[in-house]
Amino acid sequence: MKPEELKYAKSHEWIKLGDEAVVGVSDYAQHEMGDVVFVELPKVGQKAEKEKQCAVVESVKSAFDILSPVSGTITAVNEAVAADPALLNQSPLDEGWLFKIKPENPADAETLLTWEQYQVFIKQA
Amino acid sequence: MAEHELRRTVLNETERKAGGKMVDFHGWELPMEFTGIVKEHEAVRKSAGIFDVSHMGQVFVTGPDAFNLLQHLNANDLKKATPGKGVYSHLINEKGGLVDDIIAFCLSMDRYLVVVNAATADKDFAWIKKHSEHMSVTVENKSDEYSILAVQGPNVPLMMETFAPEALPLPRFGIVEKDIHGRHCFISRTGYTGEDGFEITCPNDIAVQLWNEMLELGKPYNIIPCGLGARDTLRLEAGYLLYGQDVDDDHSTYEANYGWVVCLDKGDFIGRNILAEQKANGVKRKLTGIVLSERGIPRQGCRIFHEGKEVGTFNSATYSPTLKKGIGMGYVTPPLKPGTLVEVEIRGRRVKGEVVRTPFHKGGAFSKVLYTGKDK
């Protein structure tokens, strides 16, 4: 996926918006986390709430809560990244995606950052 | 925010340029990682890695009573440290707890180099100094004058073939003094990784030059710079203690399951009576190694359960890049035997594990036969 076509949360998740949105961790964040060695994914069918924890990514050093950028229902999870967490480092925007979600509130997307805004945001961080 | 000034080793700038992600480690600014903890960890297990451990301290004990003083302060028998050899030991307080875990190198019968932990260097120096009164001995803290480069991994002895052939015949914990670039250095066959390797203690002014030289020399052997992250996963796999996290003034050598360090029959030393009592009656809690059999990464503070009952928490725990499993060490009350099934609570979820004997991974440092040079 092209980073410019994605939206970003301030907690460093990316989301490809759509009827079935795709969520992952930004390249910046995976780099800051270091080697990812464990990924805990939500269950398909589970409800996720905007800005609430719905997955966990762990590097050797620490655990990071993954917050859902929007509210909705989980429709798919990436079993490949659970089996091989290093995918998240190698391919954060493609093979390392985490879950798919059916958004329930279009307004949720309004507070998300564009690629340009996210670039500015991480420079300030 | 007014931050306290972090101490820096002389390699700080070199490490930043090499891509080191700097962190605050007990008041020292040191690299957490350069190219990734797992990659650095694997380099040390399979080829070679170099660490800056200059934050560690050097206390020199010299004079006719040097041996007597150290023998009085240590649980281990300093007689094992004949000239050119070191001994891993614990400095014990009156309660049987650890002042620090150290290596005491005998340079000559009246001259010892004691390598101490960074966070405890001042405390150790004061402790040793205090007990040196009325003894014919000089105690000097030279921690600010020396740097240490730890060059670790199975390929490292091959690197030494040209650089320091006199270091190759050294046994584990052996030490040799050598002038490098006109400066007086110490090379010891020691490390905190569980692999074979050497630690080069050098005056600060040649540390950067030596660091670059080691990287150059190690190129054919796939050496890479390594940070604190890999250092921690490597030492934990090797079952080595981290002072302040696994042991401290309130935990004893026996409780830490390091009974092999204690030589009760060597004569009196500080804390001996308490340790003798613990040896005779056993200890109530014991630092216990646990390997997880299910997925999950344990962390410091995770609670340990046996038959549904909480029996302890992890002091150190991490993902083991070698075993590709979660591992940890924590004090368990009462002690459990290897093979016992336990559960560890990770973010509210109970994950299955098993008590094991440490080390979790037996690397080259535990090998009886070390490389001593090409057959001549």
Side-chain angles (χ1 to χ4, degrees):
Chain A
M1 273 183 246
K2 290 201 177 100
E4 305 82 22
E5 291 167 3
L6 305 172
K7 290 286 184 100
Y8 297 83
K10 285 186 177 172
S11 44
H12 304 288
E13 296 82 8
W14 58 258
I15 181 165
K16 168 88 175 155
L17 289 165
D19 287 344
E20 192 182 40
V22 190
V23 176
V25 169
S26 78
D27 186 53
Y28 169 82
Q30 70 77 17
H31 190 257
E32 287 298 303
M33 287 172 178
D35 293 323
V36 173
V37 290
F38 182 74
V39 175
E40 194 177 292
L41 296 169
K43 289 192 170 57
V44 172
Q46 186 182 317
K47 289 273 186 194
E49 256 187 88
K50 181 176 165 72
E51 289 168 12
K52 293 277 163 62
Q53 187 215 320
C54 84
V56 178
V57 170
E58 296 203 41
S59 69
V60 180
K61 281 312 288 177
S62 18
F64 302 87
D65 286 345
I66 302 303
L67 314 183
S68 184
V70 296
S71 296
T73 307
I74 305 293
T75 55
V77 295
N78 185 0
E79 298 293 353
V81 81
D84 181 11
L87 282 178
L88 203 150
N89 294 117
Q90 292 155 12
S91 176
L93 305 189
D94 294 294
E95 287 174 74
W97 65 276
L98 294 177
F99 57 87
K100 294 181 183 174
I101 182 167
K102 186 172 164 41
E104 62 189 25
N105 181 6
D108 280 352
E110 286 168 14
T111 53
L112 296 170
L113 306 177
T114 64
W115 166 244
E116 290 78 15
Q117 288 166 332
Y118 182 65
Q119 292 307 105
V120 174
F121 174 71
I122 56 181
K123 279 197 186 93
Q124 290 162 346
Chain B
M1 195 171 79
E3 282 184 52
H4 61 287
E5 189 86 3
L6 287 181
R7 299 183 72 183
R8 293 176 171 185
T9 74
V10 295
L11 286 154
N12 190 280
E13 204 184 307
T14 309
E15 288 159 353
R16 285 169 173 277
K17 279 185 192 151
K21 287 188 194 171
M22 309 308 277
V23 294
D24 176 354
F25 181 74
H26 300 292
W28 286 83
E29 189 181 72
L30 289 163
M32 174 56 72
E33 59 181 289
F34 292 89
T35 48
I37 295 174
V38 173
K39 186 178 167 192
E40 292 164 27
H41 182 107
E42 285 174 353
V44 172
R45 287 273 176 260
K46 290 172 188 158
S47 51
I50 182 167
F51 301 81
D52 170 20
V53 289
S54 304
H55 55 300
M56 297 195 66
Q58 291 79 18
V59 177
F60 286 84
V61 180
T62 44
D65 279 335
F67 168 83
N68 293 332
L69 172 62
L70 291 173
Q71 189 75 325
H72 178 58
L73 298 177
N74 276 285
N76 211 336
D77 190 352
L78 263 288
K79 283 199 206 82
K80 293 177 192 167
T82 51
K85 275 189 189 156
V87 60
Y88 171 80
S89 182
H90 292 172
L91 299 175
I92 309 293
N93 62 30
E94 290 91 347
K95 300 178 297 181
L98 267 73
V99 176
D100 198 7
D101 68 332
I102 57 123
I103 298 176
F105 291 104
C106 178
L107 303 171
S108 61
M109 285 312 289
D110 58 357
R111 195 164 146 258
Y112 287 81
L113 162 59
V114 183
V115 179
V116 301
N117 281 300
T120 47
D122 292 341
K123 179 183 85 166
D124 293 2
F125 173 64
W127 177 259
I128 299 170
K129 183 96 179 151
K130 182 178 125 187
H131 291 92
S132 73
E133 287 168 18
H134 317 298
M135 276 193 176
S136 183
V137 67
T138 309
V139 182
E140 295 165 288
N141 184 0
K142 296 199 176 179
S143 305
D144 292 341
E145 297 173 32
Y146 286 97
S147 298
I148 308 182
L149 307 184
V151 198
Q152 302 282 300
N155 287 351
V156 172
L158 304 171
M159 287 168 56
M160 292 294 149
E161 201 92 60
T162 50
F163 177 77
E166 60 271 68
L168 276 183
L170 289 178
R172 188 79 186 146
F173 288 98
I175 188 165
V176 64
E177 299 181 62
K178 178 184 170 71
D179 282 349
I180 303 173
H181 306 307
R183 307 288 277 130
H184 194 74
C185 301
F186 305 89
I187 305 179
S188 56
R189 200 160 201 162
T190 48
Y192 195 48
T193 60
E195 291 303 326
D196 194 5
F198 296 86
E199 289 176 306
I200 307 171
T201 303
C202 65
N204 288 335
D205 58 1
I206 61 163
V208 171
Q209 186 181 357
L210 263 184
W211 172 274
N212 291 330
E213 213 171 330
M214 284 297 127
L215 284 174
E216 192 57 39
L217 196 64
K219 244 184 208 161
Y221 303 104
N222 303 316
I223 197 171
I224 55 170
C226 302
L228 293 172
R231 186 169 159 79
D232 194 52
T233 51
L234 288 159
R235 73 91 191 170
L236 191 48
E237 283 186 354
Y240 293 151
L241 303 173
L242 174 57
Y243 190 88
Q245 190 166 311
D246 301 316
V247 279
D248 56 25
D249 296 286
D250 300 317
H251 290 82
S252 81
T253 305
Y254 284 120
E255 288 176 318
N257 209 4
Y258 263 61
W260 61 269
V261 167
V262 184
C263 287
L264 289 173
D265 54 5
K266 75 170 195 178
D268 198 24
F269 60 91
I270 297 176
R272 184 188 178 280
N273 51 343
I274 309 269
L275 291 179
E277 188 270 328
Q278 290 184 351
K279 167 88 174 169
N281 300 329
V283 289
K284 292 191 181 69
R285 59 184 180 188
K286 207 170 229 179
L287 193 66
T288 302
I290 291 168
V291 174
L292 299 191
S293 45
E294 295 180 317
R295 288 174 72 237
I297 298 168
R299 307 285 179 188
Q300 186 181 7
C302 281
R303 298 191 293 166
I304 304 160
F305 294 83
H306 177 237
E307 292 174 347
K309 221 176 110 217
E310 187 177 337
V311 291
T313 57
F314 275 136
N315 293 69
S316 291
T318 190
Y319 168 79
S320 159
T322 306
L323 304 180
K324 303 201 172 9
K325 287 175 181 173
I327 58 170
M329 300 195 293
Y331 285 91
V332 167
T333 315
L336 298 172
K337 286 197 172 67
T340 308
L341 299 180
V342 292
E343 287 186 316
V344 174
E345 193 173 273
I346 303 175
R347 291 191 309 275
R349 196 167 57 93
R350 300 272 175 96
V351 178
K352 289 190 172 64
E354 185 183 333
V355 173
V356 296
R357 241 177 263 285
T358 55
F360 297 97
H361 171 73
K362 261 181 173 315
F366 300 95
S367 165
K368 294 231 174 355
V369 187
L370 297 177
Y371 181 80
T372 55
K374 286 183 190 134
D375 290 334
K376 282 160 192 115

